[in-house]
Amino acid sequence: MLARVWSAALIGIDAIAVGVEVDVAGGLPGTVIVGLPDAAVQESRERVRAALRNSEFAFPMRRIVINLTPADLRKEGPSFDLPISIGILAASDQIDPQLLGDVLFLGEVSLDGSLRPVTGVLPIAAAAKRMGYVGLVVPLANANEAAVVEGLDVYGFEHLSEVSAFLNHPGAYQAVQETVPQTSTFIHQTQLDLKDVKGQAHARRALEIAAAGGHNLVFVGPPGSGKTMLARRLPGILPPLAFNEALEVSKIHSVAGLLKDRGTLVRDRPFRSPHHSASGPALVGGGSYPRPGEISLAHRGVLFLDELTEFKRDVLEFLRQPLEDGFVSISRARQSVTFPAEFTLVASTNPCPCGYYADPIQACTCTPRQRENYWAKLSGPLMDRIDLQVAVGRLKPTEITQQAMGEPTETVRERVQKANKLAQERFQDEEAVHCNAQMQSSHLRKWCALDEPTRQLLETAIGRLGLSARATDRILKVGRTIADLAASSDLQTAHVAEAIQYRTIDRLQ
């Protein structure tokens, strides 16, 4: 007898339906799986056989052929265990096949028949709703994650026997309910407060501009000046995640298997801080079956690269395309996937190998050649893509010992949200632009018009600093954000002058 059960396979952060066709026929007993299964799928034969027997089901002692369609798509992972088990039960008349055409099945099966959670359930649930399926059956541990998608009946079970009972008596079971209001916004919950940062008014201002406009930022200064302390407080002043942004971020974390540590939905902006020994694929994603890397896990959040110049040059060059386009494409022989990567890059580095170049107190011990080699890891095109380049100086003794606290995160976040709201209203008709840092040439002509004094100031800065056309555009974008923070509809000379200050260390040597 032939039975067909529906499951799904991930392609990037999207999913497509996979048909699991099971044919139980005469011949020598044996089980064959076809349709480009990987090793984990091939091993499901043994898991399913033991699970059915230990769950008091009859495993057909006949020839079983399992076909996974479409046949030209590589199938991977243990998530096909459950649909294969249900297909064998349906083909051997042990369950009612009435619901098999309308419900998607997903889950790993243990040898005792219990169901284990799998990754990527959230994007599969979203795809199931889009493809017109009415229900989704998953392990109980994945049920709340999938139930975030409205308009889809999600059923969670702990054992294979429960799934069988559900198919035979569907009216006796209720779908899992997970209520997340779609109008919700989620504020980053953190114990790191800007009020703990002493001094560094210039760096704090740059941090506020970066948060308001989505601008990339690098801090350069001696050890102990507070670069890392400042960077780790950026997520707290970012605008809160909207529901659709939280859903998008959650899909990425679900594919990476990280959502179980964050609950049913990622409710705050991601903050990723990879070690400087990270490889290129770890940063941008990859593998035989492409998985998201650190830049995609930082989508809608912050990617913090501490000790920027300690990263390998070729690894840093991987960042150039995602910083410009907001996504990363990974091509393999059989498929090509695209992961979103709209993140704010924040980096910190010392000015030289010893860390004390241009320090007013401690003398630098590096030679000019050592400083040149140190900064050679950062190419001109990469630095052009960093909007704010901020020199962080050593704290004064009076600043170190002062008892007064600085401006708290909550106050700064309120200003950032007001500026961000102005930008959102400005780009409400633009699908691909969400903040000032994403503006294109047409937006600059419309929203960053310059009067004559401002134009002359900018031309002088271009000549003296040797700025490229891209760096000049970055100045205008930063100037637009400064104007938003000042609630100004026009881009004024003072706004551009302040933005120029953040391009003074393009090639510090």
Side-chain angles (χ1 to χ4, degrees), residues 83-164:
I84 289 175
S85 302
I86 297 301
I88 293 175
L89 292 176
S92 57
D93 291 324
Q94 298 182 68
I95 60 172
D96 186 349
Q98 181 179 355
L99 296 180
L100 298 186
D102 299 324
V103 177
L104 221 62
F105 295 83
L106 201 69
E108 178 184 346
V109 177
S110 296
L111 298 186
D112 62 355
S114 59
L115 303 184
R116 295 174 53 82
V118 293
T119 61
V121 170
L122 181 57
I124 289 176
K129 177 188 175 183
R130 187 180 66 249
M131 292 185 289
Y133 291 93
V134 299
L136 176 66
V137 174
V138 295
L140 185 60
N142 290 128
N144 288 335
E145 173 187 341
V148 169
V149 179
E150 292 189 346
L152 182 71
D153 292 334
V154 176
Y155 300 90
F157 300 105
E158 294 184 312
H159 198 274
L160 192 57
S161 59
E162 296 177 5
V163 181
S164 172

Side-chain angles (χ1 to χ4, degrees), residues 161-457:
S161 59
E162 296 177 5
V163 181
S164 172
F166 161 72
L167 293 172
N168 289 324
H169 306 283
Y173 293 85
Q174 296 292 325
V176 176
Q177 300 296 324
E178 178 67 26
T179 304
V180 180
Q182 297 204 11
T183 56
S184 294
T185 55
F186 308 115
I187 297 177
H188 186 87
Q189 301 297 325
T190 177
Q191 301 299 318
L192 303 177
D193 200 301
L194 271 174
K195 67 182 181 182
D196 299 326
V197 179
K198 297 180 178 180
Q200 305 297 5
H202 183 58
R204 289 171 59 105
R205 171 67 171 172
L207 207 65
E208 182 177 340
I209 294 171
H215 301 289
N216 302 318
L217 167 68
V218 60
F219 289 125
V220 182
S225 56
K227 304 184 296 295
T228 301
M229 187 178 187
L230 283 160
R232 291 191 178 278
R233 281 155 175 76
L234 176 59
I237 63 174
L238 287 173
L241 278 175
F243 177 81
N244 61 329
E245 292 178 320
L247 190 61
E248 189 178 13
V249 172
S250 299
K251 287 182 180 180
I252 301 172
H253 283 71
S254 177
V255 171
L258 301 177
L259 194 56
K260 60 180 180 293
D261 300 326
R262 307 289 294 271
T264 58
L265 205 65
V266 176
R267 297 172 180 266
D268 50 16
R269 293 192 179 273
F271 183 88
R272 305 294 298 183
S273 180
H275 191 261
H276 60 75
S277 61
S279 64
L283 208 59
V284 302
S288 301
Y289 306 102
R291 287 290 182 265
E294 291 291 339
I295 63 173
S296 294
L297 293 173
H299 181 62
R300 304 292 187 191
V302 177
L303 177 69
F304 177 45
L305 302 184
D306 200 7
E307 303 297 340
L308 181 65
T309 46
E310 296 300 324
F311 284 80
K312 295 181 180 178
R313 181 187 173 104
D314 59 336
V315 172
L316 293 177
E317 291 302 299
F318 279 115
L319 294 174
R320 287 167 55 175
Q321 180 261 332
L323 283 174
E324 199 72 24
D325 299 334
F327 63 86
V328 57
S329 296
I330 302 172
S331 298
R332 293 295 179 265
R334 292 188 178 273
Q335 64 178 345
S336 177
V337 300
T338 299
F339 294 112
E342 293 183 13
F343 58 92
T344 299
L345 174 65
V346 180
S348 68
T349 184
N350 295 329
C352 64
C354 77
Y356 295 101
Y357 179 62
D359 186 77
I361 297 178
Q362 186 161 340
C364 174
T365 59
C366 305
T367 65
R369 182 60 179 270
Q370 287 175 322
R371 290 195 295 269
E372 181 179 349
N373 292 338
Y374 184 74
W375 281 91
K377 293 183 179 181
L378 306 181
S379 65
L382 177 62
M383 293 301 289
D384 272 352
R385 288 169 168 82
I386 299 180
D387 305 5
L388 304 166
Q389 304 169 4
V390 183
V392 181
R394 182 194 292 266
L395 288 174
K396 299 177 181 178
T398 54
E399 292 176 326
I400 296 175
T401 58
Q402 71 180 11
Q403 297 298 316
M405 292 185 176
E407 198 173 25
T409 287
E410 185 177 356
T411 302
V412 178
R413 184 170 59 235
E414 289 177 359
R415 290 200 300 267
V416 167
Q417 287 185 240
K418 290 179 180 178
N420 185 257
K421 184 177 180 180
L422 292 175
Q424 294 292 328
E425 293 173 353
R426 183 183 306 126
F427 305 126
Q428 60 183 347
D429 297 328
E430 303 282 347
E431 292 184 3
V433 180
H434 306 99
C435 59
N436 291 333
Q438 297 174 338
M439 288 193 293
Q440 303 299 319
S441 298
S442 59
H443 304 117
L444 293 177
R445 289 192 296 269
K446 183 176 181 180
W447 303 108
C448 299
L450 304 178
D451 57 21
E452 186 59 26
T454 307
R455 186 183 63 80
Q456 292 180 0
L457 172 66

